[in-house]
Amino acid sequence: MTRSLALSTLDPADLDQVDAAVRFIRTHDSTRVLAALVPDLTEAQRVAVAAHCRLAHAAVLVFPPDLAALDEALAAHRVTARPPMPSVVVRQRLAARHGLPAAELPVSIVRAGIPAADGTPCEVEIFALVDGPAQVAAAERDAAHENHVALATGPIDTVTLTGLRALLTGPGRMGSDGGGYNEHENSTVLYFAGTGHAREAHRRLELFVAGHHPEVLAAHLAETTDPATRLLRLLTGAWATQALAATADLGIADRLAAAPGSAATDLARHTGTDPDALARLLRYLADLDVVRPAGDGWALTDVGAPLATTAERSLRPLARLYGGYFYESFAELGYSVRTGRTAFDHHFGQHHFDYFAAEPDRAAMFDDAMAAGAAMFGRVGKLLDCAGANTVVDVGGGNGELLAGVLQANPQLRGVLFERAVTLEQARPGLRAAGLLERCDLVPGDFTTTVPGGGDIYLLSRVLHDWDDEQCATILRRCANAMPAHADLYIVERLLPETGTGSLAPAWDLHMLCNVGGRERSYDHYGTLLAAAGLKLVGQRRLPLDFALLHVVHG
């Protein structure tokens, strides 16, 4: 059968869909599909998924004049369709999407066997709505909502299925995109929407599971939202920022930490807030998973706990900063994108370092926020190679929080905290309280002009991302000149992912553009900057909050 015969009975757009699905199966296998549709999974994670799943089919939705037209289109590829079966899931999805009764959308499933690239038996799966409403056909051909690639698994237990789904929606960064149970085949289908590099027409993944799995299906459907709803949630992200800042700033988190289960009226009395307004805030915070109902009152969740001042690793200063000065300047992000210049400088009239240093209250807020972030790196001291080392120099080390952790983990070391004079004075009480002041030299200075020499270990924590490449090169040359030949340099920074792997770094890269004038960088980018300064990047270790500890030596 020739393509011209198929063209005479099947709409050209539908014929292209069928042809594309056949080609996809013949050029892919399970490994290639997972790499294309779920690129954010690590190799080990893809192996784990492939151990339970096989490539089953590529699916398209078409609108033929009759089912014989599909037989003709498939015959052109020398494959034969099996008898059609009624569709349940796609019919329901079409009905919901277009506001039509499902009974008016008699969707059939037509399948034909085709070997995958590795010879594995697979199928092309064609959902066919014969003589469907013209407006439905036009919309679906344009959007290709139902086109997908399927992995099959089962029989399988609920725990394993839950784990597979968690891999795809967690590290795989795929979103739940509906699903259902087809009683005609006794099968459960879970749809996932992804951003892989396969053809746009096959950007969705189906997990086809033998048997009925109502609990997993219910959990999957509960997380399914349409694109407009997802976009609306993104658009309200600024509201979440302000809700968290208010929770920290008004003492709400502190009260809930001190008295879990506090009723809204009691909480309002202790925080000086309006009872009705506070109740509405708490309801939104519960939606954000920051608080939870506790009896007749409320308590902080694990997510909300760091908003309290008394938390072991409190992020309250960050919440206040992000919801205050940085929130204001982020409103000018468009200026930064248009000009490439810093919105903070444009909005406040000064670079943020100068602006915060100009007033003691502002300086204290900024230094507290930086210290809150540094407190997350307590394990750094145990990751450093301190064999034979005597002195560690923290370049631009803020209030000394990171240096204190390194000294506590390595009692044989002395420390040098190199910072602005005003910041050193704020660091002194904390180092004294930790019993470390006698082991530290507090050296004032500017790391863009000089760095103390004679150290065995040098630290640059969250310094380089504040600067452009030219200034970074200057700072790194200062460090290289100060470091003895045997010395090690350790850099703490977020790394931009080399692939699509999920990371906080892209968001902070935008923050650096808008508020600071610096940027986040990839591992290779740092390697290039270091090499230009006569230094060599030799490895990295992962840290909390998507940070990395980079190990650097003389080149």
Side-chain angles (χ1 to χ4, degrees):
M1 193 66 63
T2 64
R3 182 177 172 89
S4 60
L5 175 59
L7 277 169
S8 67
T9 55
L10 195 63
D11 185 281
D14 290 343
L15 181 61
D16 285 344
Q17 296 266 45
V18 174
D19 290 345
V22 172
R23 287 195 302 270
F24 189 92
I25 288 294
R26 286 176 170 165
T27 57
H28 285 74
D29 53 30
S30 299
T31 301
R32 293 174 184 172
V33 164
L34 285 169
L37 268 70
V38 203
D40 292 328
L41 288 180
T42 65
E43 181 63 27
Q45 290 166 339
R46 284 198 290 269
V47 169
V49 174
H52 294 281
C53 301
R54 61 174 180 82
L55 177 59
H57 64 252
V60 295
L61 171 63
V62 298
F63 301 85
D66 52 52
L67 294 182
L70 293 181
D71 292 335
E72 296 170 350
L74 291 169
H77 292 281
R78 296 183 175 84
V79 296
T80 302
R82 295 201 297 275
M85 296 185 64
S87 165
V88 174
V89 178
V90 171
R91 182 183 64 189
Q92 291 172 342
R93 285 167 60 87
L94 287 176
R97 197 151 52 236
H98 297 281
L100 296 171
E104 295 181 10
L105 300 169
V107 180
S108 299
I109 307 175
V110 175
R111 295 190 176 98
I114 300 176
D118 62 357
T120 302
C122 292
E123 296 178 323
V124 61
E125 182 175 86
I126 304 172
F127 299 105
L129 178 54
V130 174
D131 285 333
Q135 70 273 20
V136 174
E140 293 297 325
R141 283 170 177 152
D142 181 61
H145 288 299
E146 300 306 325
N147 292 11
H148 64 266
V149 179
L151 299 176
T153 186
I156 193 171
D157 61 86
T158 298
V159 173
T160 303
L161 179 57
T162 300
L164 284 173
R165 180 179 171 277
L167 274 175
L168 294 172
T169 59
R173 301 183 70 198
M174 301 195 86
S176 301
D177 194 35
Y181 173 69
N182 189 334
E183 68 272 15
H184 301 290
E185 298 180 307
N186 186 29
S187 62
T188 300
V189 294
L190 308 177
Y191 289 118
F192 302 83
T195 56
H197 305 300
R199 287 177 53 88
E200 182 69 12
H202 295 99
R203 67 187 183 276
R204 295 174 62 246
L205 180 68
E206 173 193 325
L207 197 57
F208 181 93
V209 190
H212 193 194
H213 296 271
E215 293 181 2
V216 180
L217 178 60
H220 190 75
L221 293 177
E223 294 181 9
T224 300
T225 54
D226 64 275
T229 301
R230 293 199 295 272
L231 178 60
L232 195 59
R233 285 190 177 275
L234 293 174
L235 288 172
T236 61
W239 305 351
T241 302
Q242 285 301 310
L244 297 174
T247 302
D249 207 32
L250 296 173
I252 297 167
D254 285 345
R255 179 60 186 173
L256 288 177
S262 294
T265 52
D266 178 70
L267 193 57
R269 185 171 61 255
H270 278 88
T271 58
T273 55
D274 178 79
D276 178 68
L278 178 60
R280 294 158 74 174
L281 172 62
L282 291 166
R283 184 168 56 217
Y284 181 46
L285 293 173
D287 185 60
L288 297 175
D289 193 32
V290 173
V291 302
R292 59 177 176 80
D296 294 330
W298 298 89
L300 293 169
T301 64
D302 290 343
V303 174
L307 290 174
T309 307
T310 55
E312 182 180 2
R313 293 288 185 257
S314 176
L315 296 182
R316 180 177 182 270
L318 284 175
R320 298 183 65 224
L321 181 62
Y322 293 168
Y325 296 109
F326 285 160
Y327 187 86
E328 282 189 53
S329 58
F330 236 110
E332 305 283 352
L333 176 62
Y335 168 84
S336 288
V337 175
R338 285 194 306 273
T339 66
R341 295 194 287 271
T342 307
F344 191 102
D345 301 16
H346 174 69
H347 181 74
F348 289 106
Q350 285 180 285
H351 187 275
H352 94 288
F353 286 133
D354 297 328
Y355 183 80
F356 286 117
E359 295 288 342
D361 289 346
R362 293 201 296 254
M365 172 185 278
F366 181 76
D367 288 339
D368 286 348
M370 295 305 99
M376 295 292 130
F377 307 136
R379 60 186 290 240
V380 165
K382 298 179 180 179
L383 297 178
L384 306 181
D385 182 4
C386 297
N390 297 307
T391 303
V392 55
V393 181
D394 193 353
V395 180
N399 73 344
E401 182 83 25
L402 176 61
L403 180 60
V406 172
L407 295 178
Q408 288 168 338
N410 301 277
Q412 80 280 11
L413 292 179
R414 282 195 58 82
V416 175
L417 182 61
F418 185 60
E419 252 294 0
R420 296 167 300 161
V422 64
T423 302
L424 290 177
E425 290 310 307
Q426 294 172 355
R428 192 181 300 275
L431 291 170
R432 181 181 292 111
L436 298 170
L437 189 58
E438 297 303 316
R439 291 171 57 196
C440 288
D441 295 321
L442 276 55
V443 179
D446 177 359
F447 51 65
T448 64
T449 59
T450 185
V451 169
D456 302 299
I457 294 173
Y458 284 76
L459 303 176
L460 271 177
S461 177
R462 299 175 301 162
V463 169
L464 298 178
H465 75 162
D466 290 335
W467 307 93
D468 60 25
D469 281 1
E470 182 178 357
Q471 195 69 351
C472 272
T474 298
I475 296 168
L476 290 171
R477 283 195 298 269
R478 299 288 182 263
C479 290
N481 292 337
M483 292 166 55
H486 69 273
D488 295 282
L489 170 64
Y490 290 93
I491 298 171
V492 176
E493 293 288 357
R494 284 193 176 95
L495 298 180
L496 287 171
E498 303 285 357
T499 63
T501 304
S503 168
L504 292 172
W508 258 260
D509 186 42
L510 199 63
H511 163 64
M512 303 313 292
L513 166 68
C514 185
N515 289 312
V516 184
R519 66 188 310 138
E520 305 295 351
R521 299 172 174 87
S522 67
Y523 183 87
D524 288 345
H525 193 162
Y526 276 116
T528 300
L529 289 174
L530 288 159
L535 298 168
K536 182 180 178 181
L537 183 54
V538 295
Q540 64 168 306
R541 301 287 293 272
R542 296 190 65 178
L543 295 173
L545 302 180
D546 282 345
F547 280 95
L549 179 68
L550 307 181
H551 185 194
V552 179
V553 297
H554 276 286

